[in-house]
Amino acid sequence: MTYYFVFASLLGCRLMSNGRRSPGLYWLILVSLYLFSALRWEVGCDWPNYLINFETQKYANFSDALAQSNPAHWILLETMDVLGLGYVWLNIATSAIFFAGLHAIARRSPAPITVLALAFPVLILNMPMAAVKQAAAIGLICFAFNAFRDKRLMRFALFVSFASAFHGSALIFALLGPFVIGRYSIRNVLLGVLLAVPGVFALLSTEAAEIANSRYLIGDENAGGAIFRVGLLAATGVFYTFYLSQRWKTAFPESHKLISLLSLGMIGLGALLPLSTVIADRFGYYFIIPQLMIYAALPWLYPRGRGQLIMLAPYLGLLVLFLAWTQLSGHYRWCYLPYRTINGS
């Protein structure tokens, strides 16, 4: 019941704010969600795996951490060891990075509380409350997205690099680099794809890619809920590309290029599903950020009461997805129940 109560409270806060900024309520929600994620105890499917990493790094040093794949994760563990910090500080630190990034996106949205509320049932529960390496990467990619909007190429490149040091999958967003300053057009998109081919082949030749290939493409791993999560992303991408793009360009011109490119990525993830549900799902969590930006902006794209069904659709879709996951998923029952904090309650 804990997760139902949290989501219901978030929806209630969204209703109370009625799309207004309400700074006091926003900060209360942001801090509460951070503490809910950071202070969990033995909650999340990756809890035992990261605990093994934590114990392993006690017998290593910073040089060993730098030599690992995803070195920022191991450097963080080594820093915790040097400072004498317990395992829970991994969640405290990575949740801080994630929520700092989510805040950076939400504060520039016309409806910040909507971003937080709709982030909970999929993004927050599955990332900072489970996959903390990728959660940190997503937080840093949020800052990269803002740098893209501000046309700050070096800042964009730095945040993508930092994010990929936590989770190598974030490197895919380097493909956006040529568009930070360059003009968005179908011709430039196709040119960017062609220029990216050598880098993609280089990425596919790495050891991490070989592991992913054997585990997710050749092996039997499958993400059962991916078809619904990625399907909703793909549907959002299609709807934006064909129905919202011009409205967005008028209402939010500074982010039109970014959201247009990321919407194409959402559609591409849908095409990736038949190849690997796990890989599509893993990349999909990054694209929930632009999905949230689109959902939060819908009242400004359909003003004065028009398109009520369109504005309600994200809430209904995520509510159905959340209820189906919590009622039908063994993954949910095994990893998230009961919810406990570090004091055992």
Side-chain angles (χ1 to χ4, degrees):
M1 291 299 295
T2 302
Y3 303 104
Y4 295 133
F5 173 77
V6 172
F7 192 33
S9 298
L10 290 169
L11 294 178
C13 289
R14 166 59 184 87
L15 189 61
M16 286 171 51
S17 69
N18 195 28
R20 298 187 302 272
R21 286 192 169 267
S22 306
L25 183 60
Y26 170 80
W27 280 103
L28 176 64
I29 294 170
L30 182 67
V31 172
S32 298
L33 285 173
Y34 166 68
L35 294 176
F36 187 79
S37 169
L39 302 184
R40 62 192 168 90
W41 182 257
E42 294 183 344
V43 174
C45 282
D46 280 352
W47 180 281
N49 296 333
Y50 291 123
L51 182 57
I52 292 172
N53 292 356
F54 174 74
E55 295 295 338
T56 300
Q57 189 58 36
K58 288 182 178 180
Y59 303 97
N61 54 39
F62 280 110
S63 296
D64 298 321
L66 281 169
Q68 293 273 17
S69 131
N70 305 315
H73 168 69
W74 296 93
I75 290 171
L76 175 57
L77 292 177
E78 179 62 22
T79 302
M80 288 165 51
D81 184 43
V82 170
L83 296 176
L85 300 175
Y87 174 60
V88 70
W89 282 91
L90 175 64
N91 301 324
I92 291 173
T94 52
S95 287
I97 298 170
F98 172 85
F99 281 99
L102 186 63
H103 165 65
I105 291 293
R107 69 184 175 86
R108 297 180 64 164
S109 166
I113 290 176
T114 300
V115 174
L116 299 184
L118 295 183
F120 178 76
V122 178
L123 185 60
I124 292 174
L125 283 180
N126 284 282
M127 289 291 107
M129 292 189 64
V132 300
K133 286 190 297 185
Q134 189 171 355
I138 290 172
L140 292 166
I141 287 296
C142 287
F143 288 107
F145 287 164
N146 279 349
F148 187 105
R149 294 163 76 175
D150 297 334
K151 299 181 179 180
R152 299 292 187 88
L153 179 58
M154 289 304 298
R155 186 180 298 177
F156 171 82
L158 283 173
F159 278 119
V160 171
S161 298
F162 290 155
S164 63
F166 271 102
H167 203 277
S169 58
L171 197 58
I172 192 70
F173 292 100
L175 298 178
L176 295 177
F179 297 97
V180 174
I181 299 174
R183 190 170 64 90
Y184 169 72
S185 67
I186 297 300
R187 175 182 174 276
N188 286 351
V189 169
L190 294 174
L191 181 60
V193 170
L194 288 175
L195 292 174
V197 169
V200 171
F201 273 106
L203 187 62
L204 291 174
S205 67
T206 63
E207 181 182 355
E210 290 176 7
I211 293 172
N213 180 62
S214 63
R215 182 179 299 170
Y216 303 141
L217 297 178
I218 301 172
D220 296 327
E221 298 239 11
N222 182 58
I227 189 170
F228 303 106
R229 289 185 291 268
V230 177
L232 187 57
L233 279 171
T236 303
V238 169
F239 185 71
Y240 171 88
T241 301
F242 291 100
Y243 297 102
L244 294 182
S245 181
Q246 289 307 309
R247 292 174 184 263
W248 193 285
K249 190 173 185 178
T250 301
F252 309 105
E254 78 288 346
S255 59
H256 177 258
K257 180 166 58 173
L258 174 67
I259 300 300
S260 296
L261 287 166
L262 293 175
S263 292
L264 294 178
M266 294 182 203
I267 297 170
L269 287 175
L272 183 59
L273 273 174
L275 180 64
S276 171
T277 57
V278 175
I279 292 178
D281 203 35
R282 276 294 176 178
F283 281 115
Y285 287 108
Y286 293 103
F287 287 87
I288 290 176
I289 296 298
Q291 183 186 48
L292 294 172
M293 294 168 68
I294 293 170
Y295 289 167
L298 284 175
W300 281 261
L301 301 175
Y302 290 90
R304 293 183 294 277
R306 290 180 294 167
Q308 286 296 322
L309 183 59
I310 291 173
M311 286 183 278
L312 284 174
Y315 298 91
L316 295 175
L318 286 171
L319 179 61
V320 169
L321 188 61
F322 178 63
L323 291 174
W325 179 55
T326 55
Q327 292 297 312
L328 303 175
S329 172
H331 171 274
Y332 166 78
R333 290 190 294 273
W334 182 60
C335 298
Y336 291 92
L337 298 178
Y339 173 79
R340 291 173 292 192
T341 61
I342 55 175
N343 64 6
S345 61

